[in-house]
Amino acid sequence: MAKRNTRAKQLIMDSLRNKKTAISQEILQKELGETVDRATIYRVLNSFCDDGIIHKILSDDGKYYFAVCLNCSEKKHRHNHFHFRCLQCGKIECLAQEIEVALPQGYQPVNFNGFISGYCSECS
C-alpha cells in the first residue's frame, strides 16, 4: 500500500529541504508552530528515516537531528559519513566524504553514526 502525502508531511519535508543543516524536532516544531502537532512531527520524521528519505543524527549533545542528505546522488540515503557540529553557531552538517569501517569477518553493519564537534569554517 502506497503512503499518502499529507499536508503535514509536505510541510515537514519543505522545512527540511530548505535547511542547509540538520535540525532537531524542537526546532522544526518552533518553525511549524501550531500547524503540525509534536506527535505528528515525531511520527513523520521517523517514517522518513525508515524510508531512507532523511537520516537521523545523534549529536554529542544527546539530541537527535534530522537532515536531507545533500550529498546523496540517489533518492534514498544509503551511505555513511561524519557529521559536524559547530560549537559556536550550532549548525550541524553532513560532511561529504564517505566513510568505510573495516569490521571483523562475519559482522554486518546496519547503521553508522560518526560525529565531530569543533568550529566551522565561518566561525574559526
Side-chain angles (χ1 to χ4, degrees):
M1 180 166 82
K3 293 184 179 182
R4 288 183 327 144
N5 187 25
T6 64
R7 184 172 188 278
K9 285 182 182 180
Q10 194 59 55
L11 288 169
I12 292 167
M13 183 51 68
D14 289 346
S15 290
L16 289 168
R17 283 197 175 124
N18 289 332
K19 303 288 183 216
K20 300 290 186 232
T21 64
I23 59 174
S24 67
Q25 179 186 359
E26 293 83 15
I27 293 169
L28 196 53
Q29 181 68 57
K30 285 179 188 172
E31 187 174 296
L32 296 175
E34 298 292 319
T35 8
V36 184
D37 66 84
R38 188 174 59 115
T40 301
I41 291 173
Y42 182 76
R43 188 175 54 254
V44 169
L45 288 172
N46 283 313
S47 173
F48 285 167
C49 286
D50 291 344
D51 293 341
I53 298 168
I54 65 172
H55 61 285
K56 187 182 335 187
I57 303 155
L58 177 59
S59 172
D60 61 347
D61 64 4
K63 289 185 181 180
Y64 282 106
Y65 293 83
F66 301 86
V68 174
C69 185
L70 303 174
N71 303 316
C72 286
S73 56
E74 302 175 29
K75 285 192 173 219
K76 289 194 172 198
H77 177 75
R78 296 193 189 276
H79 70 280
N80 295 318
H81 56 270
F82 277 101
H83 300 93
F84 186 90
R85 180 171 72 93
C86 180
L87 296 172
Q88 185 166 327
C89 69
K91 76 178 173 183
I92 295 178
E93 57 189 322
C94 300
L95 300 178
Q97 185 176 356
E98 189 164 344
I99 304 299
E100 290 186 38
V101 178
L103 295 173
Q105 187 172 353
Y107 285 73
Q108 280 291 1
V110 174
N111 188 14
F112 174 87
N113 188 29
F115 203 85
I116 302 169
S117 58
Y119 297 96
C120 71
S121 59
E122 295 172 15
C123 295
S124 59

